[in-house]
Amino acid sequence: MFALWYGKGGRAWTAAAMSSGHANAAGTSRRGGVLVVAGDDHAAKSSTLPHQTEHVFKAMMMPVLARRLAGMPRIRPPTVGRCRVSPAGWRSALSDTVETSGSIDIDPFRVQTRTPSIEMPEGGLNIRWPDPPLVQEERLLHHKLYAALAYCRENRLNRIVIDAPRARLGIITAGKSYLDVRQAFDDLGINEVRAAELGIRLYKVGMVWPLEAEGVRQFADGLDEIQWSRKSGSFSNTS
């Protein structure tokens, strides 16, 4: 059984966050999963205060996903599959992506996922009863987060989308900022071939926290400069 929870950012600050924190520590069944979608309203368009939820998610030690519009209907293979390895996945639903439209391929078999080979603690990663709080915390901090990183690495949730033989400038993007960068390239007349000629390497991050270090090191290798294309603080304090 898989569950999907949605709440606007303000709810994620309060009791909903607390209950989600308990669920994150307890975990899911071996063949189940939980995906939590948070609606962020940075401009307070329909909220009493501007808000974003990444810092709340990180405080609960819950992995944070950043997906662009075209990725939303395709969350099943990479996202729900990872919820079996780690207890739950988070993602932010921004006005920039939710209040838009487009034609999207939603073939559920387009993306094939792989389960990483990881060292399991006694009893595995999933929910059990009884399960004392400190045991849950130890399993979360020492096993579940590393399992999420392994899944991210194995399934290339973070990946280089443009590379150059002698790359000098690297750009890191996530979610909506990836589309912003590609739009800027189009406006400047820079296609993938031209970007490679200019020595530009573009890195697209699907899981912004915890940030998978091995992929970032490969991306940064040989670069003279790295620019982070940020959308409302997605990368703050992630390294």
Side-chain angles (χ1 to χ4, degrees), residues 5-235:
W5 181 97
Y6 170 80
K8 206 166 180 180
R11 289 185 176 273
W13 292 356
T14 56
M18 193 64 181
S19 61
S20 297
H22 282 295
N24 184 45
T28 64
S29 67
R30 186 169 65 89
R31 298 185 181 278
V34 178
L35 179 64
V36 179
V37 180
D40 288 350
D41 191 358
H42 302 89
K45 180 179 178 181
S46 58
S47 308
T48 54
L49 287 172
H51 53 78
Q52 69 182 84
T53 50
E54 288 99 327
H55 303 296
V56 178
F57 306 158
K58 288 184 284 186
M60 289 187 289
M61 301 294 171
M62 187 175 287
V64 182
L65 296 177
R67 304 290 288 177
R68 60 190 177 90
L69 173 63
M72 292 182 69
R74 295 201 298 265
I75 61 177
R76 178 185 173 271
T79 303
V80 176
R82 196 208 54 189
C83 292
R84 291 191 181 121
V85 179
S86 183
W90 286 90
R91 57 179 300 189
S92 297
L94 308 178
S95 297
D96 307 57
T97 55
V98 172
E99 297 179 6
T100 56
S101 61
S103 298
I104 300 170
D105 173 16
I106 58 173
D107 180 3
F109 303 105
R110 193 187 69 85
V111 178
Q112 299 297 319
T113 62
R114 295 181 294 182
T115 300
S117 177
I118 57 176
E119 183 179 350
M120 288 285 190
E122 183 179 355
L125 296 173
N126 300 107
I127 192 169
R128 76 286 306 273
W129 184 262
D131 198 12
L134 294 182
V135 175
Q136 292 183 20
E137 182 184 53
E138 191 277 337
R139 189 167 66 249
L140 172 62
L141 297 180
H142 294 281
H143 298 283
K144 288 181 179 178
L145 289 178
Y146 291 102
L149 287 168
Y151 188 93
C152 175
R153 185 166 51 249
E154 183 75 16
N155 290 277
R156 300 182 65 245
L157 299 187
N158 307 343
R159 65 187 186 275
I160 296 173
V161 294
I162 295 179
D163 204 356
R166 292 177 295 276
R168 297 177 292 107
L169 171 64
I171 302 174
I172 299 182
T173 68
K176 177 61 166 56
S177 73
Y178 172 74
L179 296 181
D180 294 339
V181 170
R182 297 307 297 261
Q183 181 63 57
F185 281 6
D186 288 344
D187 293 344
L188 294 170
I190 301 175
N191 57 21
E192 293 189 11
V193 174
R194 181 57 178 156
E197 293 173 349
L198 293 171
I200 297 175
R201 181 180 294 161
L202 181 62
Y203 193 56
K204 182 181 177 184
V205 178
M207 189 171 82
V208 298
W209 191 90
L211 189 58
E212 200 278 308
E214 184 177 317
V216 174
R217 281 194 292 268
Q218 293 174 359
F219 159 75
D221 185 38
L223 297 176
D224 297 330
E225 183 178 352
I226 295 176
Q227 296 286 335
W228 288 15
S229 177
R230 297 170 57 184
K231 181 66 178 178
S232 305
S234 294
F235 282 104

